[in-house]
Amino acid sequence: MNSLIAAGLLTLAIAGAAPQETAAVDKVDLIEVNHLYDQQGRHVIDQLIFYDWDSSHGRFQVRAWRLIKSPGQMPQRDWSKDAYVSYWRDMHVMRRVYASRIRETWTTYDPEVLEREVLPIEYRQELSQAAPTRRRVAAN
């Protein structure tokens, strides 16, 4: 066998053996980038708050939230889908959340905590809980 072909087959075998994750994908109506400050103006946290439109109450309702742990989590415009997308590793799952709208806020109160008075956490839909899938190579 030609050494070039053998090298190509080895490369394919190694690439096929590497585990590949698929992302858990969610669609929400609004992503809020919230910067929370205390009463003295000191920065506390940055968070993403995901909302769905509640037509029965005519308002956005919190679905879920996540701390922003890296700049890569910030929503970016995805022109191919005409939406904004936030993509990050959420514990053991790669996660991708799309929204048609985003907003950025700077507050001295936590909007997500305040929303718990309207809809307690246990009644929220939350984001997908899909487990990551990995491709496996069959043993010969």
Side-chain angles (χ1 to χ4, degrees):
M1 183 184 307
N2 180 320
S3 63
L4 187 56
I5 294 172
L9 290 175
L10 179 60
T11 301
L12 286 174
I14 291 170
Q20 295 182 356
E21 295 179 311
T22 57
V25 178
D26 286 282
K27 169 94 173 68
V28 299
D29 295 312
L30 170 69
I31 299 173
E32 178 178 356
V33 178
N34 174 254
H35 309 281
L36 178 62
Y37 292 83
D38 67 16
Q39 295 299 323
Q40 288 71 45
R42 293 177 297 222
H43 182 254
V44 178
I45 61 168
D46 296 313
Q47 62 185 331
L48 296 175
I49 306 174
F50 304 100
Y51 295 88
D52 287 323
W53 179 253
D54 181 350
S55 58
S56 63
H57 293 97
R59 63 190 300 275
F60 287 103
Q61 180 60 57
V62 172
R63 178 169 171 181
W65 71 278
R66 297 295 188 275
L67 286 176
I68 297 174
K69 297 179 181 177
S70 75
Q73 276 180 266
M74 296 295 284
Q76 301 294 317
R77 185 74 169 163
D78 182 341
W79 293 103
S80 68
K81 299 201 182 314
D82 193 27
Y84 296 91
V85 62
S86 184
Y87 185 68
W88 77 101
R89 176 169 292 287
D90 188 14
M91 304 279 281
H92 64 280
V93 175
M94 289 305 296
R95 190 171 294 285
R96 186 175 289 141
V97 180
Y98 290 93
S100 54
R101 299 180 188 121
I102 62 168
R103 70 179 173 204
E104 190 166 10
T105 58
W106 294 261
T107 60
T108 55
Y109 65 91
D110 189 332
E112 184 274 327
V113 170
L114 193 60
E115 283 292 312
R116 293 176 190 180
E117 295 175 13
V118 177
L119 184 67
I121 292 173
E122 56 269 16
Y123 296 110
R124 292 182 183 169
Q125 182 179 349
E126 248 304 331
L127 298 174
S128 305
Q129 298 301 314
T133 56
R134 297 179 184 266
R135 233 178 39 192
R136 295 177 189 238
V137 175
N140 288 332

Short mmCIF file of all heavy atoms in Angstrom, two decimals, residues 15-25 87-96 130-136:
data_model
loop_
_atom_site.label_atom_id
_atom_site.label_comp_id
_atom_site.label_asym_id
_atom_site.label_seq_id
_atom_site.Cartn_x
_atom_site.Cartn_y
_atom_site.Cartn_z
N ALA A 15 -9.48 10.67 13.18
CA ALA A 15 -10.56 11.65 13.20
C ALA A 15 -11.89 10.99 13.54
O ALA A 15 -12.69 11.54 14.29
CB ALA A 15 -10.65 12.36 11.85
N GLY A 16 -12.12 9.80 13.03
CA GLY A 16 -13.36 9.09 13.32
C GLY A 16 -13.43 8.59 14.74
O GLY A 16 -14.51 8.41 15.29
N ALA A 17 -12.29 8.35 15.37
CA ALA A 17 -12.27 7.83 16.73
C ALA A 17 -12.48 8.93 17.77
O ALA A 17 -12.83 8.65 18.90
CB ALA A 17 -10.94 7.13 17.00
N ALA A 18 -12.23 10.17 17.38
CA ALA A 18 -12.40 11.27 18.33
C ALA A 18 -13.87 11.47 18.63
O ALA A 18 -14.68 11.52 17.72
CB ALA A 18 -11.81 12.55 17.75
N PRO A 19 -14.24 11.57 19.92
CA PRO A 19 -15.65 11.78 20.25
C PRO A 19 -16.10 13.15 19.75
O PRO A 19 -15.36 14.12 19.81
CB PRO A 19 -15.68 11.71 21.77
CG PRO A 19 -14.28 11.89 22.21
CD PRO A 19 -13.40 11.51 21.08
N GLN A 20 -17.30 13.17 19.21
CA GLN A 20 -17.86 14.42 18.72
C GLN A 20 -19.19 14.66 19.41
O GLN A 20 -20.05 13.80 19.42
CB GLN A 20 -18.05 14.37 17.21
CG GLN A 20 -16.74 14.26 16.47
CD GLN A 20 -16.94 14.26 14.98
OE1 GLN A 20 -18.05 14.27 14.49
NE2 GLN A 20 -15.84 14.20 14.26
N GLU A 21 -19.34 15.85 19.98
CA GLU A 21 -20.58 16.17 20.66
C GLU A 21 -21.49 16.96 19.75
O GLU A 21 -21.03 17.73 18.93
CB GLU A 21 -20.30 17.03 21.90
CG GLU A 21 -19.53 16.33 22.97
CD GLU A 21 -19.28 17.25 24.14
OE1 GLU A 21 -18.83 18.38 23.94
OE2 GLU A 21 -19.54 16.80 25.26
N THR A 22 -22.77 16.77 19.92
CA THR A 22 -23.74 17.64 19.27
C THR A 22 -24.27 18.58 20.34
O THR A 22 -24.30 18.24 21.51
CB THR A 22 -24.89 16.82 18.65
OG1 THR A 22 -25.51 16.04 19.67
CG2 THR A 22 -24.39 15.91 17.56
N ALA A 23 -24.65 19.75 19.92
CA ALA A 23 -25.12 20.75 20.89
C ALA A 23 -26.60 20.57 21.18
O ALA A 23 -27.38 20.19 20.29
CB ALA A 23 -24.86 22.15 20.34
N ALA A 24 -26.98 20.84 22.43
CA ALA A 24 -28.40 20.95 22.78
C ALA A 24 -28.83 22.31 22.25
O ALA A 24 -28.22 23.33 22.55
CB ALA A 24 -28.58 20.86 24.28
N VAL A 25 -29.85 22.32 21.43
CA VAL A 25 -30.28 23.56 20.77
C VAL A 25 -31.65 23.97 21.29
O VAL A 25 -32.56 23.16 21.38
CB VAL A 25 -30.34 23.37 19.24
CG1 VAL A 25 -30.83 24.64 18.55
CG2 VAL A 25 -28.98 22.95 18.70
N TYR A 87 -23.47 30.37 22.40
CA TYR A 87 -22.96 29.01 22.29
C TYR A 87 -21.90 28.80 23.35
O TYR A 87 -20.96 29.60 23.46
CB TYR A 87 -22.36 28.83 20.89
CG TYR A 87 -21.88 27.45 20.57
CD1 TYR A 87 -22.79 26.39 20.43
CD2 TYR A 87 -20.54 27.18 20.38
CE1 TYR A 87 -22.35 25.12 20.11
CE2 TYR A 87 -20.10 25.91 20.05
CZ TYR A 87 -21.01 24.89 19.92
OH TYR A 87 -20.58 23.63 19.61
N TRP A 88 -22.04 27.79 24.20
CA TRP A 88 -21.08 27.55 25.26
C TRP A 88 -21.23 26.14 25.82
O TRP A 88 -22.21 25.45 25.55
CB TRP A 88 -21.24 28.58 26.37
CG TRP A 88 -22.40 28.36 27.28
CD1 TRP A 88 -22.38 27.81 28.53
CD2 TRP A 88 -23.78 28.66 27.05
NE1 TRP A 88 -23.64 27.76 29.07
CE2 TRP A 88 -24.52 28.29 28.18
CE3 TRP A 88 -24.48 29.23 25.97
CZ2 TRP A 88 -25.90 28.44 28.28
CZ3 TRP A 88 -25.85 29.38 26.07
CH2 TRP A 88 -26.54 28.99 27.20
N ARG A 89 -20.24 25.73 26.59
CA ARG A 89 -20.30 24.46 27.31
C ARG A 89 -21.02 24.72 28.62
O ARG A 89 -20.61 25.55 29.42
CB ARG A 89 -18.91 23.90 27.59
CG ARG A 89 -18.98 22.61 28.44
CD ARG A 89 -17.67 21.90 28.52
NE ARG A 89 -17.27 21.32 27.24
CZ ARG A 89 -17.84 20.23 26.69
NH1 ARG A 89 -18.81 19.62 27.31
NH2 ARG A 89 -17.42 19.77 25.55
N ASP A 90 -22.13 24.04 28.82
CA ASP A 90 -22.97 24.17 30.01
C ASP A 90 -22.87 22.86 30.78
O ASP A 90 -23.56 21.90 30.46
CB ASP A 90 -24.41 24.46 29.58
CG ASP A 90 -25.33 24.81 30.72
OD1 ASP A 90 -24.84 25.10 31.83
OD2 ASP A 90 -26.56 24.81 30.51
N MET A 91 -21.94 22.83 31.74
CA MET A 91 -21.63 21.60 32.46
C MET A 91 -21.10 20.57 31.45
O MET A 91 -20.10 20.79 30.83
CB MET A 91 -22.83 21.08 33.24
CG MET A 91 -23.40 22.08 34.22
SD MET A 91 -22.49 22.17 35.75
CE MET A 91 -23.11 20.74 36.57
N HIS A 92 -21.81 19.46 31.23
CA HIS A 92 -21.34 18.41 30.34
C HIS A 92 -21.98 18.48 28.95
O HIS A 92 -21.80 17.58 28.14
CB HIS A 92 -21.61 17.03 30.96
CG HIS A 92 -23.08 16.76 31.14
ND1 HIS A 92 -23.80 17.27 32.18
CD2 HIS A 92 -23.95 16.07 30.38
CE1 HIS A 92 -25.06 16.89 32.06
NE2 HIS A 92 -25.17 16.16 30.97
N VAL A 93 -22.71 19.55 28.66
CA VAL A 93 -23.43 19.66 27.39
C VAL A 93 -22.98 20.92 26.65
O VAL A 93 -22.88 21.99 27.25
CB VAL A 93 -24.96 19.74 27.65
CG1 VAL A 93 -25.72 19.99 26.36
CG2 VAL A 93 -25.46 18.49 28.33
N MET A 94 -22.70 20.78 25.37
CA MET A 94 -22.52 21.96 24.53
C MET A 94 -23.92 22.49 24.27
O MET A 94 -24.84 21.73 23.99
CB MET A 94 -21.83 21.61 23.21
CG MET A 94 -20.37 21.25 23.36
SD MET A 94 -19.37 22.51 24.19
CE MET A 94 -19.47 23.87 23.05
N ARG A 95 -24.07 23.78 24.41
CA ARG A 95 -25.41 24.37 24.31
C ARG A 95 -25.40 25.51 23.29
O ARG A 95 -24.45 26.28 23.22
CB ARG A 95 -25.83 24.90 25.67
CG ARG A 95 -27.28 25.31 25.72
CD ARG A 95 -27.72 25.63 27.13
NE ARG A 95 -27.72 24.51 28.03
CZ ARG A 95 -28.62 23.54 28.04
NH1 ARG A 95 -29.59 23.51 27.15
NH2 ARG A 95 -28.56 22.58 28.94
N ARG A 96 -26.47 25.59 22.52
CA ARG A 96 -26.65 26.67 21.55
C ARG A 96 -28.09 27.18 21.74
O ARG A 96 -29.03 26.41 21.62
CB ARG A 96 -26.44 26.13 20.13
CG ARG A 96 -26.48 27.19 19.07
CD ARG A 96 -26.15 26.63 17.71
NE ARG A 96 -24.73 26.28 17.66
CZ ARG A 96 -24.25 25.22 17.06
NH1 ARG A 96 -25.03 24.37 16.46
NH2 ARG A 96 -22.95 24.97 17.06
N ALA A 130 -31.04 17.68 27.07
CA ALA A 130 -30.49 16.62 26.23
C ALA A 130 -29.06 16.28 26.63
O ALA A 130 -28.24 17.17 26.85
CB ALA A 130 -30.53 17.05 24.77
N ALA A 131 -28.79 15.01 26.74
CA ALA A 131 -27.43 14.54 27.04
C ALA A 131 -26.61 14.62 25.76
O ALA A 131 -27.14 14.47 24.67
CB ALA A 131 -27.47 13.12 27.56
N PRO A 132 -25.33 14.86 25.88
CA PRO A 132 -24.49 14.91 24.68
C PRO A 132 -24.44 13.54 24.01
O PRO A 132 -24.47 12.52 24.67
CB PRO A 132 -23.12 15.33 25.22
CG PRO A 132 -23.12 14.89 26.64
CD PRO A 132 -24.56 15.00 27.10
N THR A 133 -24.39 13.56 22.71
CA THR A 133 -24.25 12.29 21.98
C THR A 133 -22.83 12.24 21.44
O THR A 133 -22.28 13.24 21.00
CB THR A 133 -25.26 12.20 20.82
OG1 THR A 133 -25.09 13.34 19.98
CG2 THR A 133 -26.68 12.16 21.35
N ARG A 134 -22.26 11.08 21.50
CA ARG A 134 -20.90 10.88 20.98
C ARG A 134 -20.94 9.77 19.96
O ARG A 134 -21.59 8.76 20.16
CB ARG A 134 -19.95 10.53 22.12
CG ARG A 134 -19.83 11.63 23.15
CD ARG A 134 -18.88 11.17 24.25
NE ARG A 134 -18.80 12.15 25.30
CZ ARG A 134 -17.87 13.09 25.36
NH1 ARG A 134 -16.96 13.18 24.44
NH2 ARG A 134 -17.85 13.94 26.36
N ARG A 135 -20.20 10.01 18.92
CA ARG A 135 -20.07 8.97 17.89
C ARG A 135 -19.04 7.97 18.37
O ARG A 135 -17.99 8.33 18.85
CB ARG A 135 -19.61 9.62 16.59
CG ARG A 135 -20.47 9.31 15.45
CD ARG A 135 -20.07 9.97 14.20
NE ARG A 135 -18.62 10.03 14.01
CZ ARG A 135 -18.04 10.76 13.10
NH1 ARG A 135 -18.74 11.49 12.30
NH2 ARG A 135 -16.73 10.76 12.97
N ARG A 136 -19.33 6.71 18.23
CA ARG A 136 -18.39 5.69 18.63
C ARG A 136 -17.89 4.94 17.39
O ARG A 136 -18.62 4.73 16.45
CB ARG A 136 -19.03 4.70 19.58
CG ARG A 136 -19.43 5.34 20.88
CD ARG A 136 -20.13 4.32 21.75
NE ARG A 136 -20.67 4.99 22.89
CZ ARG A 136 -20.37 4.70 24.13
NH1 ARG A 136 -19.55 3.74 24.40
NH2 ARG A 136 -20.91 5.35 25.12
#
